[in-house]
Amino acid sequence: MRVAATSKRHVIILKRKVQFSEGQYRVIKRFEIFDDIRLKTKYTNAIYVIRRALALYSIQEVALSFNGGKDSTVLLHLLRAGYFLHKAEESSSQDVADGENTLPIRTIYFETPTVFPEINSFTYETAATYNLQMDILRLDFKSGLEALLKANPIRAIFLGVRIGDPTAVGQEQFSPSSPGWPPFMRVNPILDWSYRDVWAFLLVCKVRYCSLYDQGYTSIGSINDTVPNALLCIKNDNNSEQKFRPAYLLADGRLERAGRVKKYSYPVCGQLSSISNGLKIEDLNSNSMLTASIIAVGDEILFGTVEDKLGSVLCRKLHTIGWAASLLAVTRNDIDSVAEEVERQKSTNDMVFIYGGVGPLHSDVTVAGVAKAFGVRMAPDEEFEEYLRHLIGEKCTGDKNEMAQLPEGITELLHHEQLSVPLIKCRNVIILTATNVAELDLQWHCLTDSFKSHGDLVLMAPFVSKCLATTLSDVEVAQPLSKLCLQFPDLYIGGYRGSRKGPLLIRFQGKDPTRIEAASQSLCQNFHPGAFSETE
C-alpha cells in the first residue's frame, strides 16, 4: 500500500513545540530550506512512513537493517529525524533533546568475510557516533534473522530497499516478509527514491558516507563481485594507476550496478544449439552458440495491412555478431498475447528482441505485456519521464504520462548519445522502438556500441555461408542432402527456391569456413561435374 505525504504545516508545528539540538534536527532544518520540490516530497513521504511504523509498533518491536551502504546511510538519518519528530509529537515536555546522538532502535548488521574493510570500519564508526544498539550477525541472512527474531520481539524492520534493487520486485512501503522466511513487516521508506535522490540527500544534509563512494564505487556488494564503475574512470594518457570520480557524479543512475562484476553463465536454454559447429562445452565464453528470438507486435501485420521488414533485417544483424535467431514471431496488440510469447521465449533464449506496440495509444501494450511475462507491475520511472518530457514537452500530460511507467524492479535504461530516449531492457528482453529499417540500424548500432562495455550482447564469431545453385530436382538431391546433414551436424544445410521454376538453392551456414567447404565438396561429389554452381 502506498501512503500519502504528511503535512508540511505539521512539521513546522513540531519545530515550534520542541527545541531540538543541532545534531537531532540537522536533516529537518536543511530540508526546510531545500528548493528541490520533488526531493522534498520524497523526504516528507519517507518521514511519514517512518512515523507511521513507529505509531504501529513499539520501539522494542522495530529494528534497522544497516549495511554501511549509501541507501542504508540515508535511511539511518531519515530514521533519526523521524524518530525525534515522533517523540516530539507524543511528548508533552520540552525534554526530547536529551541524548541527542542516541537512536534507541535495535540495529542489525550482517558481517561477512567478504565485506570491504572500508564498509566494516564505516559501520562501526557510525554505530559509535550515534550510539546504535548493534546486533552483529555472522550467519547467512536468513539463519541470522531467524535467530534474532526468535530471541527478540521484533515485528518490523526498516530496510533501505529502492525500486530497481533485485529484492524490490513486488514490494510496497509496508510488505510482509516472503513465504518461508520468519514473519516480520518490511518497512521501506525510500522505496520510490532514485540513485539521484540518494546522493542529493547525502550531499544536502552533509552527512558522512563510506569512503569507497569517493573512489568510483557506485553499488557495493562483496569484495568478490564489486569494482569501481568504469563510467567514472578518469582517462589519462600515461600508464599510471587508474583514478575514478566520486559516485555522485554518475550521470545515469540506472547504471549504478555497472560496477558489479558479471560472470559468464551457460545459455539460458541449458544446452548448446543444434548449430554448435562441433564446439566444446568447456569453452563457453568464446565458443557457445547464443540464441535470440524476435517478436513483432502488430495487428496490422497479421491483417496484412503492413509488411514486417524489421524481422529479417534483425536476423541478419544477429548473424553478423555470431548469434542464431531461433524464432521470428508476430503477435497481436494484446497484453496477454505479448506476455505469453515473451514468457515462452525469455526462458529458452539468451536474448529476446521485441518491437511494435510502444507508445501512448490504446494498442501500445508491449511494455505492459513484458511486465506481465515477468510477473511484475508497472511503476512510474522518473528518469524515463524526464527524457519523455524533454522530447515531447508539455504534450506529455494526462494518459501520455503512462509511457513513463515501466516494469518495476527489472528495468534498465540503455543510454547512448545518439538516442534521444534510451531503449528499455528488462532482464534478457530488449524493447526496440524502431518503426523502419533506418531507425533499426541506428538502434542496433547504439546497442552493440553500448554492450561493448557491459557484455550482455556478447560478440561471437560471425556466421559464414556458401550457396550453391542447381537445376537438379528436389527428388534427386533429397537423399544425398539428408546424409550430408548427418555427416556435418555442426552446419545448417538447407534448400529453397526463389520460384517454383527457378534453380534449387542449397545453403551451407556455420562458423568454420573449412567445414563449409568440405560439406559443399562432399555434396558435389555425388553428382556429375557442373551440376552445382556457386552463387550469392
Side-chain angles (χ1 to χ4, degrees), residues 308-467:
D308 175 33
K309 297 180 180 179
L310 302 187
S312 58
V313 173
L314 196 49
C315 286
R316 289 195 293 271
K317 290 184 181 298
L318 284 165
H319 278 200
T320 63
I321 63 168
W323 284 55
S326 65
L327 174 105
L328 174 56
V330 181
T331 187
R332 295 176 50 217
N333 290 87
D334 174 79
I335 291 178
D336 289 336
S337 298
V338 172
E340 289 170 7
E341 194 61 58
V342 171
E343 172 66 30
R344 279 192 292 269
Q345 301 309 321
K346 69 182 177 64
S347 57
T348 55
N349 290 272
D350 299 282
M351 195 74 77
V352 178
F353 293 89
I354 187 168
Y355 56 87
V358 179
L361 300 177
H362 69 284
S363 56
D364 293 328
V365 297
T366 296
V367 180
V370 171
K372 186 169 183 177
F374 282 100
V376 302
R377 64 185 177 185
M378 299 282 282
D381 187 287
E382 293 176 352
E383 293 186 30
F384 194 61
E385 185 172 19
E386 285 185 14
Y387 280 97
L388 294 178
R389 289 194 179 279
H390 180 73
L391 181 66
I392 60 181
E394 293 306 313
K395 294 180 182 178
C396 188
T397 58
D399 291 342
K400 293 182 176 60
N401 264 336
E402 293 179 6
M403 286 193 295
Q405 294 202 21
L406 302 178
E408 182 184 38
I410 62 170
T411 298
E412 177 184 351
L413 297 183
L414 304 178
H415 298 264
H416 195 277
E417 58 185 8
Q418 296 183 35
L419 295 176
S420 56
V421 175
L423 298 176
I424 301 165
K425 178 175 176 287
C426 300
R427 301 272 170 82
N428 65 331
V429 177
I430 294 178
I431 301 173
L432 300 171
T433 58
T435 60
N436 56 51
V437 173
E439 292 173 356
L440 179 60
D441 286 342
L442 174 62
Q443 292 181 12
W444 180 261
H445 164 72
C446 295
L447 278 175
T448 54
D449 190 41
S450 298
F451 282 138
K452 285 178 184 176
S453 59
H454 291 76
D456 287 321
L457 199 60
V458 183
L459 300 183
M460 311 292 288
F463 282 97
V464 291
S465 64
K466 182 175 183 177
C467 188

Side-chain angles (χ1 to χ4, degrees), residues 24-330:
Q24 294 168 338
Y25 217 61
R26 178 189 297 169
V27 170
I28 302 168
K29 288 199 296 184
R30 289 194 183 279
F31 264 83
E32 284 183 350
I33 61 173
F34 193 50
D35 58 1
D36 186 331
I37 301 301
R38 187 182 61 82
L39 183 56
K40 212 172 198 179
T41 301
K42 295 283 185 76
Y43 160 79
T44 308
N45 286 340
I47 292 295
Y48 179 88
V49 172
I50 291 169
R51 293 177 61 194
R52 181 63 180 155
L54 294 176
L56 291 170
Y57 305 99
S58 70
I59 203 69
Q60 292 78 26
E61 294 175 325
V62 297
L64 162 67
S65 178
F66 187 78
N67 63 9
K70 61 185 184 303
D71 299 332
S72 63
T73 300
V74 167
L75 179 58
L76 168 65
H77 292 287
L78 286 172
L79 191 55
R80 292 181 64 231
Y83 169 74
F84 288 111
L85 286 169
H86 169 72
K87 291 299 292 182
E89 187 175 45
E90 69 176 18
S91 175
S92 58
S93 71
Q94 305 292 311
D95 198 24
V96 187
D98 290 345
E100 65 175 81
N101 279 336
T102 298
L103 181 65
I105 293 177
R106 185 180 297 274
T107 303
I108 309 168
Y109 177 50
F110 289 86
E111 184 179 319
T112 67
T114 57
V115 68
F116 279 89
E118 293 87 344
I119 286 286
N120 240 356
S121 299
F122 174 73
T123 299
Y124 285 112
E125 289 167 10
T126 301
T129 300
Y130 300 108
N131 296 321
L132 300 180
Q133 303 175 21
M134 294 282 285
D135 282 293
I136 313 298
L137 303 180
R138 295 182 174 88
L139 300 171
D140 66 272
F141 192 84
K142 187 175 181 181
S143 301
L145 206 55
E146 286 176 342
L148 182 69
L149 268 60
K150 187 176 292 185
N152 298 277
I154 298 172
R155 297 175 57 199
I157 300 177
F158 291 98
L159 302 169
V161 173
R162 292 188 291 115
I163 288 178
D165 294 343
T167 59
V169 177
Q171 287 206 48
E172 299 281 353
Q173 289 168 325
F174 288 85
S175 288
S177 55
S178 302
W181 284 72
F184 67 94
M185 181 64 72
R186 294 174 289 188
V187 185
N188 304 310
I190 62 170
L191 186 64
D192 61 343
W193 285 43
S194 67
Y195 181 86
R196 183 184 65 179
D197 296 332
V198 166
W199 280 110
F201 179 91
L202 292 173
L203 297 176
V204 165
C205 296
K206 297 182 179 180
V207 294
R208 186 168 171 264
Y209 53 82
C210 179
S211 61
L212 287 175
Y213 292 111
D214 286 332
Q215 301 170 34
Y217 291 84
T218 52
S219 176
I220 302 174
S222 75
I223 58 175
N224 297 326
D225 66 3
T226 310
V227 294
N229 195 319
L231 298 169
L232 293 172
C233 184
I234 301 172
K235 297 179 181 179
N236 52 46
D237 297 329
N238 46 20
N239 295 323
S240 59
E241 184 181 354
Q242 278 189 323
K243 293 185 178 180
F244 295 83
R245 291 173 292 166
Y248 55 78
L249 293 180
L250 182 68
D252 177 16
R254 285 290 178 181
L255 301 176
E256 67 172 296
R257 297 182 69 83
R260 294 296 185 97
V261 178
K262 294 186 178 180
K263 297 179 180 178
Y264 195 86
S265 58
Y266 289 85
V268 293
C269 51
Q271 58 186 9
L272 291 176
S273 166
S274 58
I275 314 174
S276 62
N277 203 25
L279 303 172
K280 295 181 179 179
I281 196 165
E282 58 265 22
D283 193 14
L284 283 171
N285 196 22
S286 59
N287 290 331
S288 67
M289 182 65 61
L290 299 179
T291 65
S293 59
I294 302 166
I295 304 171
V297 179
D299 290 338
E300 294 79 10
I301 301 173
L302 295 172
F303 291 153
T305 308
V306 299
E307 180 183 357
D308 175 33
K309 297 180 180 179
L310 302 187
S312 58
V313 173
L314 196 49
C315 286
R316 289 195 293 271
K317 290 184 181 298
L318 284 165
H319 278 200
T320 63
I321 63 168
W323 284 55
S326 65
L327 174 105
L328 174 56
V330 181

